[in-house]
Amino acid sequence: MSKNDVPKDEETKDKAEKKKLKLPLGLIIGFFMCFLISVGASSGISFFLSSSSVTESVTGEQSVEETLKALESQIAQQQQTISKLEQESSVLKTYLRHSSSTALKNILINQEENIQAYLAVMRQGIGDLSDLVPRGTDWANEYQYRTDLALKSSLERLNLLRLLKTGEPPSQSSTDEANQDSTEQ
């Protein structure tokens, strides 16, 4: 290798280094210009939107106030309607209490209670009669069974009538008490 070869290598290295320095400097300037343009555009858009949002917020506040007033008037109207319905409801409850269907339900309930009382007295009478008649226990047992079935049917009808009257199922304790009374007699 001669002396001339070494400087050529150094010259090519120097040129390559200069090219490297020039390329990044141009690239940096390009990025900086792009950054300035984007910041300017963002600032312009945000300024434009903020000026239009101020006018929109003023009209938006007026719209919200109008909507609030409209809602308050609707609430007042609904309160009046509710009070009228409550008054009508109390009148309807009174009418329903005194209506003929309710009276009929009460009459039927009283009849079923009377039938149950009659069956209880009949059971007692059959028991007393069986004591007086010789060999009357078989006869008494047969009729006691039939009166028990009639009493059970009457209790079921009474429960259905009470359900029809009140809309609620009868309490279990009243059903148990009635069944217990029928078996004791």
Side-chain angles (χ1 to χ4, degrees), residues 112 116 149-163 170 175 179:
E112 285 300 325
Q116 291 171 11
L149 289 177
L151 185 62
K152 183 178 178 183
S153 297
S154 177
L155 286 171
E156 289 174 359
R157 285 190 305 270
L158 181 65
N159 287 337
L160 287 174
L161 286 170
R162 287 185 177 153
L163 175 67
T175 307
N179 287 336

PDB file of all heavy atoms in Angstrom, residues 112 116 149-163 170 175 179:
ATOM      1  N   GLU A 112    -121.840 -20.098  55.202  1.00  0.00           N
ATOM      2  CA  GLU A 112    -120.902 -21.210  55.391  1.00  0.00           C
ATOM      3  C   GLU A 112    -120.583 -21.394  56.871  1.00  0.00           C
ATOM      4  O   GLU A 112    -120.487 -22.525  57.353  1.00  0.00           O
ATOM      5  CB  GLU A 112    -119.618 -20.994  54.584  1.00  0.00           C
ATOM      6  CG  GLU A 112    -119.757 -21.238  53.108  1.00  0.00           C
ATOM      7  CD  GLU A 112    -120.186 -22.648  52.741  1.00  0.00           C
ATOM      8  OE1 GLU A 112    -119.790 -23.618  53.426  1.00  0.00           O
ATOM      9  OE2 GLU A 112    -120.944 -22.784  51.774  1.00  0.00           O
ATOM     10  N   GLN A 116    -121.417 -24.755  59.062  1.00  0.00           N
ATOM     11  CA  GLN A 116    -120.428 -25.431  59.902  1.00  0.00           C
ATOM     12  C   GLN A 116    -120.950 -25.597  61.327  1.00  0.00           C
ATOM     13  O   GLN A 116    -120.760 -26.653  61.959  1.00  0.00           O
ATOM     14  CB  GLN A 116    -119.111 -24.664  59.892  1.00  0.00           C
ATOM     15  CG  GLN A 116    -118.404 -24.728  58.566  1.00  0.00           C
ATOM     16  CD  GLN A 116    -117.204 -23.800  58.490  1.00  0.00           C
ATOM     17  OE1 GLN A 116    -116.770 -23.248  59.488  1.00  0.00           O
ATOM     18  NE2 GLN A 116    -116.678 -23.640  57.287  1.00  0.00           N
ATOM     19  N   LEU A 149    -116.923 -35.099  56.144  1.00  0.00           N
ATOM     20  CA  LEU A 149    -116.705 -34.717  54.746  1.00  0.00           C
ATOM     21  C   LEU A 149    -117.446 -33.432  54.408  1.00  0.00           C
ATOM     22  O   LEU A 149    -116.907 -32.547  53.724  1.00  0.00           O
ATOM     23  CB  LEU A 149    -117.157 -35.841  53.804  1.00  0.00           C
ATOM     24  CG  LEU A 149    -116.299 -37.102  53.771  1.00  0.00           C
ATOM     25  CD1 LEU A 149    -116.926 -38.141  52.837  1.00  0.00           C
ATOM     26  CD2 LEU A 149    -114.890 -36.775  53.307  1.00  0.00           C
ATOM     27  N   ALA A 150    -118.684 -33.311  54.892  1.00  0.00           N
ATOM     28  CA  ALA A 150    -119.462 -32.092  54.630  1.00  0.00           C
ATOM     29  C   ALA A 150    -118.809 -30.894  55.304  1.00  0.00           C
ATOM     30  O   ALA A 150    -118.743 -29.796  54.729  1.00  0.00           O
ATOM     31  CB  ALA A 150    -120.895 -32.269  55.120  1.00  0.00           C
ATOM     32  N   LEU A 151    -118.301 -31.071  56.497  1.00  0.00           N
ATOM     33  CA  LEU A 151    -117.632 -29.976  57.208  1.00  0.00           C
ATOM     34  C   LEU A 151    -116.340 -29.572  56.503  1.00  0.00           C
ATOM     35  O   LEU A 151    -116.040 -28.380  56.372  1.00  0.00           O
ATOM     36  CB  LEU A 151    -117.342 -30.397  58.658  1.00  0.00           C
ATOM     37  CG  LEU A 151    -116.765 -29.333  59.564  1.00  0.00           C
ATOM     38  CD1 LEU A 151    -117.747 -28.174  59.702  1.00  0.00           C
ATOM     39  CD2 LEU A 151    -116.428 -29.909  60.926  1.00  0.00           C
ATOM     40  N   LYS A 152    -115.614 -30.545  56.006  1.00  0.00           N
ATOM     41  CA  LYS A 152    -114.375 -30.248  55.274  1.00  0.00           C
ATOM     42  C   LYS A 152    -114.682 -29.466  54.000  1.00  0.00           C
ATOM     43  O   LYS A 152    -113.995 -28.486  53.681  1.00  0.00           O
ATOM     44  CB  LYS A 152    -113.647 -31.545  54.938  1.00  0.00           C
ATOM     45  CG  LYS A 152    -112.322 -31.333  54.255  1.00  0.00           C
ATOM     46  CD  LYS A 152    -111.623 -32.642  53.979  1.00  0.00           C
ATOM     47  CE  LYS A 152    -110.318 -32.386  53.259  1.00  0.00           C
ATOM     48  NZ  LYS A 152    -109.623 -33.615  52.903  1.00  0.00           N
ATOM     49  N   SER A 153    -115.723 -29.865  53.284  1.00  0.00           N
ATOM     50  CA  SER A 153    -116.124 -29.139  52.067  1.00  0.00           C
ATOM     51  C   SER A 153    -116.545 -27.716  52.400  1.00  0.00           C
ATOM     52  O   SER A 153    -116.223 -26.767  51.673  1.00  0.00           O
ATOM     53  CB  SER A 153    -117.261 -29.859  51.362  1.00  0.00           C
ATOM     54  OG  SER A 153    -116.857 -31.120  50.940  1.00  0.00           O
ATOM     55  N   SER A 154    -117.265 -27.564  53.503  1.00  0.00           N
ATOM     56  CA  SER A 154    -117.708 -26.234  53.916  1.00  0.00           C
ATOM     57  C   SER A 154    -116.509 -25.352  54.272  1.00  0.00           C
ATOM     58  O   SER A 154    -116.487 -24.157  53.940  1.00  0.00           O
ATOM     59  CB  SER A 154    -118.658 -26.348  55.106  1.00  0.00           C
ATOM     60  OG  SER A 154    -119.044 -25.074  55.552  1.00  0.00           O
ATOM     61  N   LEU A 155    -115.515 -25.911  54.935  1.00  0.00           N
ATOM     62  CA  LEU A 155    -114.309 -25.142  55.271  1.00  0.00           C
ATOM     63  C   LEU A 155    -113.573 -24.702  54.009  1.00  0.00           C
ATOM     64  O   LEU A 155    -113.075 -23.568  53.930  1.00  0.00           O
ATOM     65  CB  LEU A 155    -113.375 -25.976  56.154  1.00  0.00           C
ATOM     66  CG  LEU A 155    -113.814 -26.156  57.605  1.00  0.00           C
ATOM     67  CD1 LEU A 155    -112.919 -27.174  58.303  1.00  0.00           C
ATOM     68  CD2 LEU A 155    -113.790 -24.831  58.331  1.00  0.00           C
ATOM     69  N   GLU A 156    -113.516 -25.577  53.018  1.00  0.00           N
ATOM     70  CA  GLU A 156    -112.857 -25.217  51.756  1.00  0.00           C
ATOM     71  C   GLU A 156    -113.611 -24.092  51.055  1.00  0.00           C
ATOM     72  O   GLU A 156    -113.012 -23.157  50.527  1.00  0.00           O
ATOM     73  CB  GLU A 156    -112.748 -26.442  50.848  1.00  0.00           C
ATOM     74  CG  GLU A 156    -111.739 -27.459  51.327  1.00  0.00           C
ATOM     75  CD  GLU A 156    -111.742 -28.730  50.495  1.00  0.00           C
ATOM     76  OE1 GLU A 156    -112.550 -28.838  49.544  1.00  0.00           O
ATOM     77  OE2 GLU A 156    -110.938 -29.627  50.810  1.00  0.00           O
ATOM     78  N   ARG A 157    -114.949 -24.176  51.044  1.00  0.00           N
ATOM     79  CA  ARG A 157    -115.742 -23.103  50.437  1.00  0.00           C
ATOM     80  C   ARG A 157    -115.557 -21.793  51.191  1.00  0.00           C
ATOM     81  O   ARG A 157    -115.438 -20.727  50.579  1.00  0.00           O
ATOM     82  CB  ARG A 157    -117.229 -23.483  50.417  1.00  0.00           C
ATOM     83  CG  ARG A 157    -117.586 -24.505  49.361  1.00  0.00           C
ATOM     84  CD  ARG A 157    -119.081 -24.663  49.209  1.00  0.00           C
ATOM     85  NE  ARG A 157    -119.775 -24.987  50.453  1.00  0.00           N
ATOM     86  CZ  ARG A 157    -120.010 -26.215  50.902  1.00  0.00           C
ATOM     87  NH1 ARG A 157    -119.599 -27.257  50.201  1.00  0.00           N
ATOM     88  NH2 ARG A 157    -120.660 -26.403  52.028  1.00  0.00           N
ATOM     89  N   LEU A 158    -115.494 -21.869  52.498  1.00  0.00           N
ATOM     90  CA  LEU A 158    -115.291 -20.661  53.308  1.00  0.00           C
ATOM     91  C   LEU A 158    -113.932 -20.033  52.999  1.00  0.00           C
ATOM     92  O   LEU A 158    -113.818 -18.805  52.851  1.00  0.00           O
ATOM     93  CB  LEU A 158    -115.401 -20.995  54.790  1.00  0.00           C
ATOM     94  CG  LEU A 158    -115.240 -19.827  55.765  1.00  0.00           C
ATOM     95  CD1 LEU A 158    -116.382 -18.835  55.577  1.00  0.00           C
ATOM     96  CD2 LEU A 158    -115.189 -20.318  57.187  1.00  0.00           C
ATOM     97  N   ASN A 159    -112.921 -20.839  52.869  1.00  0.00           N
ATOM     98  CA  ASN A 159    -111.586 -20.313  52.529  1.00  0.00           C
ATOM     99  C   ASN A 159    -111.579 -19.666  51.150  1.00  0.00           C
ATOM    100  O   ASN A 159    -110.985 -18.614  50.947  1.00  0.00           O
ATOM    101  CB  ASN A 159    -110.535 -21.421  52.598  1.00  0.00           C
ATOM    102  CG  ASN A 159    -110.214 -21.818  54.017  1.00  0.00           C
ATOM    103  OD1 ASN A 159    -110.415 -21.037  54.942  1.00  0.00           O
ATOM    104  ND2 ASN A 159    -109.732 -23.026  54.208  1.00  0.00           N
ATOM    105  N   LEU A 160    -112.263 -20.297  50.196  1.00  0.00           N
ATOM    106  CA  LEU A 160    -112.344 -19.714  48.855  1.00  0.00           C
ATOM    107  C   LEU A 160    -113.111 -18.395  48.871  1.00  0.00           C
ATOM    108  O   LEU A 160    -112.734 -17.437  48.185  1.00  0.00           O
ATOM    109  CB  LEU A 160    -113.011 -20.691  47.883  1.00  0.00           C
ATOM    110  CG  LEU A 160    -112.170 -21.891  47.469  1.00  0.00           C
ATOM    111  CD1 LEU A 160    -112.994 -22.857  46.619  1.00  0.00           C
ATOM    112  CD2 LEU A 160    -110.934 -21.443  46.709  1.00  0.00           C
ATOM    113  N   LEU A 161    -114.179 -18.328  49.653  1.00  0.00           N
ATOM    114  CA  LEU A 161    -114.944 -17.074  49.753  1.00  0.00           C
ATOM    115  C   LEU A 161    -114.103 -15.974  50.393  1.00  0.00           C
ATOM    116  O   LEU A 161    -114.145 -14.817  49.971  1.00  0.00           O
ATOM    117  CB  LEU A 161    -116.229 -17.295  50.552  1.00  0.00           C
ATOM    118  CG  LEU A 161    -117.329 -18.055  49.813  1.00  0.00           C
ATOM    119  CD1 LEU A 161    -118.451 -18.436  50.760  1.00  0.00           C
ATOM    120  CD2 LEU A 161    -117.860 -17.211  48.666  1.00  0.00           C
ATOM    121  N   ARG A 162    -113.362 -16.315  51.411  1.00  0.00           N
ATOM    122  CA  ARG A 162    -112.494 -15.312  52.036  1.00  0.00           C
ATOM    123  C   ARG A 162    -111.394 -14.856  51.072  1.00  0.00           C
ATOM    124  O   ARG A 162    -111.038 -13.684  51.049  1.00  0.00           O
ATOM    125  CB  ARG A 162    -111.889 -15.858  53.322  1.00  0.00           C
ATOM    126  CG  ARG A 162    -112.908 -15.929  54.430  1.00  0.00           C
ATOM    127  CD  ARG A 162    -112.311 -16.356  55.732  1.00  0.00           C
ATOM    128  NE  ARG A 162    -113.326 -16.346  56.772  1.00  0.00           N
ATOM    129  CZ  ARG A 162    -113.295 -17.098  57.838  1.00  0.00           C
ATOM    130  NH1 ARG A 162    -112.291 -17.944  58.032  1.00  0.00           N
ATOM    131  NH2 ARG A 162    -114.261 -17.030  58.733  1.00  0.00           N
ATOM    132  N   LEU A 163    -110.892 -15.786  50.301  1.00  0.00           N
ATOM    133  CA  LEU A 163    -109.899 -15.433  49.287  1.00  0.00           C
ATOM    134  C   LEU A 163    -110.512 -14.505  48.245  1.00  0.00           C
ATOM    135  O   LEU A 163    -109.912 -13.519  47.831  1.00  0.00           O
ATOM    136  CB  LEU A 163    -109.354 -16.701  48.614  1.00  0.00           C
ATOM    137  CG  LEU A 163    -108.402 -16.500  47.443  1.00  0.00           C
ATOM    138  CD1 LEU A 163    -107.104 -15.879  47.926  1.00  0.00           C
ATOM    139  CD2 LEU A 163    -108.116 -17.817  46.761  1.00  0.00           C
ATOM    140  N   PRO A 170    -106.267 -17.417  52.957  1.00  0.00           N
ATOM    141  CA  PRO A 170    -106.568 -17.448  54.390  1.00  0.00           C
ATOM    142  C   PRO A 170    -105.347 -17.883  55.173  1.00  0.00           C
ATOM    143  O   PRO A 170    -104.473 -18.590  54.662  1.00  0.00           O
ATOM    144  CB  PRO A 170    -107.699 -18.466  54.493  1.00  0.00           C
ATOM    145  CG  PRO A 170    -107.541 -19.330  53.289  1.00  0.00           C
ATOM    146  CD  PRO A 170    -106.959 -18.451  52.219  1.00  0.00           C
ATOM    147  N   THR A 175    -107.423 -22.196  59.347  1.00  0.00           N
ATOM    148  CA  THR A 175    -107.765 -23.465  58.727  1.00  0.00           C
ATOM    149  C   THR A 175    -107.475 -24.617  59.689  1.00  0.00           C
ATOM    150  O   THR A 175    -108.265 -25.546  59.816  1.00  0.00           O
ATOM    151  CB  THR A 175    -106.973 -23.655  57.417  1.00  0.00           C
ATOM    152  OG1 THR A 175    -107.172 -22.519  56.594  1.00  0.00           O
ATOM    153  CG2 THR A 175    -107.406 -24.906  56.678  1.00  0.00           C
ATOM    154  N   ASN A 179    -110.247 -27.249  61.390  1.00  0.00           N
ATOM    155  CA  ASN A 179    -110.071 -28.693  61.228  1.00  0.00           C
ATOM    156  C   ASN A 179    -109.999 -29.365  62.599  1.00  0.00           C
ATOM    157  O   ASN A 179    -110.506 -30.451  62.806  1.00  0.00           O
ATOM    158  CB  ASN A 179    -108.825 -29.037  60.416  1.00  0.00           C
ATOM    159  CG  ASN A 179    -109.014 -28.722  58.944  1.00  0.00           C
ATOM    160  OD1 ASN A 179    -110.125 -28.669  58.445  1.00  0.00           O
ATOM    161  ND2 ASN A 179    -107.905 -28.509  58.240  1.00  0.00           N
TER     162      ASN A 179
END
